[in-house]
């Protein structure tokens, strides 16, 4: 059917999206399926703020993975906008995969999410048990039963229920097979070799934010935003010795947070810069000069004008 591309007759392609409460392993799962880090991960809830598409290329199909923020009860304008983003995405993908970590019991947050998902009628739904590497076989079996019961209680028809571990790689290939099988027949949506459609500036900003999130206190993660102001190859260098200049601002909401972010004699900011630079170099394959500054954007999470400026 797609002979001009030399594809098999039953080649499939489409969009899948991982959803779940914050911090259930959605981003780690996306990276595991793509086979390379394209989405930032952190043990802080609400790490994901942008919808980054990871692209999985296979002989039999192409999977485009949409990584959404965790659905939560919003307390700020930013929270409301993130939730709107999630619900819009649900209605536009072919499959929604709900993640339930094996080391946590199903709770009110899961019930809230699955009920909300029930309002999206046409999309196929599967359940993924994540983090099986930190649970016993007995606990996993109990969890599978609880998920089936949750489906029955909410009128959700799970097309599949799959236990996986992104850390050990257990059943990741199986999940990929199941997702491709649920996609419509059609040619690839992205060129071979593309791993994401996120602009490089967005990826760089996210990697800086990930480095900034590491080790900060509980109240600070939500207050951190990063904007890459300028990014380009330095002029006048030989083609075999490129250097990518990145000038970025790291925004916090209060002066006291600025002090925490910079650290004693600038030590913390230097550490953030070093970690972020190495990650960006690994992702883009080019040496990087990173110029990083901390600025205060007062109460930006609640200010529509500031949210627009910071890209939300």
């Amino acid at each position: 059917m797609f002979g001009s591309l030399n594809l098999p007759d039953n080649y499939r392609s489409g969009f899948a999206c991982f959803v779940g409460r914050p911090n259930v392993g959605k981003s780690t799962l996306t990276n595991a399926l793509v086979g390379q880090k394209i989405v930032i991960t952190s043990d802080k809830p609400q790490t994901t703020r942008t919808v980054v598409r990871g692209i999985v290329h296979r002989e039999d199909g192409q999977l485009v993975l949409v990584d959404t923020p965790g659905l939560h009860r919003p307390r700020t304008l930013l929270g409301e906008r993130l939730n709107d983003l999630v619900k819009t995405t649900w209605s536009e993908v072919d499959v929604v995969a709900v993640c339930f970590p094996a080391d946590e019991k199903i709770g009110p947050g899961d019930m809230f999410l699955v009920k909300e998902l029930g309002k999206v009628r046409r999309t196929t739904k599967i359940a993924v048990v994540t983090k099986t590497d930190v649970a016993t076989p007995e606990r996993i079996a109990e969890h599978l039963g609880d998920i089936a019961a949750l489906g029955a209680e909410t009128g959700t028809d799970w097309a599949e229920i799959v236990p996986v571990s992104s850390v050990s790689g257990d059943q990741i290939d199986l999940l990929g097979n199941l997702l491709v099988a649920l996609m419509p027949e059609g040619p690839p949506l992205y060129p071979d070799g593309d791993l994401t459609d996120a602009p490089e500036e967005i990826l760089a900003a996210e990697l800086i934010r990930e480095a900034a999130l590491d080790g900060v206190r509980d109240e600070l993660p939500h207050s951190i935003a990063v904007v890459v102001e300028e990014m380009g190859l330095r002029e006048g260098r030989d083609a075999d010795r490129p250097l990518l200049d990145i000038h970025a601002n790291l925004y916090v909401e209060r002066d006291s947070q600025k002090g925490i972010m910079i650290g004693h004699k600038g030590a913390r900011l230097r550490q953030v810069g070093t970690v972020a630079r190495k990650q960006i170099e690994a992702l883009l394959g080019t040496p990087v000069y990173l110029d990083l500054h901390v600025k205060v954007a007062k109460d930006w999470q609640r200010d529509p004008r500031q949210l627009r400026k910071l890209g939300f």
Side-chain angles (χ1 to χ4, degrees), residues 110-295:
D110 298 302
M111 176 71 80
F112 169 69
L113 189 148
V114 174
K115 279 183 174 169
E116 289 294 308
L117 186 56
K119 297 171 187 173
V120 185
R121 290 271 170 238
R122 292 193 310 278
T123 309
T124 302
K125 301 164 186 80
I126 71 169
V128 181
V129 177
T130 57
K131 307 185 184 183
T132 57
D133 54 294
V134 294
T136 62
E138 294 76 21
R139 171 73 198 113
I140 294 165
E142 182 188 345
H143 205 47
L144 292 170
D146 291 344
I147 291 166
L150 177 65
E153 191 178 337
T154 56
T156 304
D157 183 18
W158 303 120
E160 304 278 355
I161 303 179
V162 199
V164 303
S165 166
S166 301
V167 173
S168 70
D170 190 38
Q171 303 227 101
I172 292 294
D173 287 343
L174 172 67
L175 176 61
N177 294 342
L178 293 171
L179 286 169
V180 167
L182 292 168
M183 295 297 142
E185 288 193 7
L189 301 161
Y190 289 91
D192 197 26
D194 283 13
L195 296 180
T196 177
D197 69 350
E200 289 183 348
E201 287 85 351
I202 296 285
L203 293 171
E206 287 288 274
L207 289 170
I208 295 166
R209 194 163 64 88
E210 178 182 50
L213 284 170
D214 188 35
V216 296
R217 297 200 198 111
D218 287 346
E219 75 277 7
L220 195 51
H222 303 286
S223 300
I224 296 172
V226 177
V227 177
V228 170
E229 302 291 348
E230 227 178 300
M231 179 166 161
L233 287 170
R234 187 171 296 183
E235 292 178 5
R237 286 179 73 96
D238 295 339
D240 58 347
R241 288 180 57 251
L243 183 66
L244 185 65
D245 284 318
I246 301 175
H247 300 276
N249 288 329
L250 200 158
Y251 290 93
V252 291
E253 294 190 294
R254 295 192 295 283
D255 286 324
S256 59
Q257 295 172 338
K258 182 176 177 178
I260 295 170
M261 211 65 252
I262 292 172
H264 181 60
K265 294 186 176 174
R268 178 157 167 68
L269 188 62
R270 277 197 301 279
Q271 170 69 10
V272 168
T274 301
V275 171
R277 180 177 53 76
K278 287 177 180 170
Q279 293 274 13
I280 296 166
E281 287 177 341
L283 183 68
L284 302 182
T286 310
V288 166
Y289 169 76
L290 178 58
D291 176 41
L292 194 54
H293 295 272
V294 181
K295 297 194 170 186

Side-chain angles (χ1 to χ4, degrees), residues 43-116:
D43 58 359
K44 306 282 186 294
Q46 288 307 110
T47 303
T48 305
R49 284 188 189 149
T50 52
V51 179
V52 175
R53 293 187 173 91
I55 304 159
V56 183
H57 302 273
R58 298 163 46 111
E59 296 284 312
D60 58 343
Q62 188 182 79
L63 267 181
V64 185
L65 303 172
V66 183
D67 187 58
T68 60
L71 192 76
H72 62 299
R73 295 183 190 279
R75 294 192 302 276
T76 63
L77 183 58
L78 173 65
E80 287 173 25
R81 290 197 179 168
L82 292 178
N83 274 0
D84 289 344
L85 190 65
V86 176
K87 291 176 186 176
T88 304
T89 305
W90 287 355
S91 59
E92 292 173 351
V93 296
D94 300 291
V95 176
V96 174
V98 187
C99 298
F100 300 95
D103 60 340
E104 296 177 33
K105 289 198 178 298
I106 287 172
D110 298 302
M111 176 71 80
F112 169 69
L113 189 148
V114 174
K115 279 183 174 169
E116 289 294 308

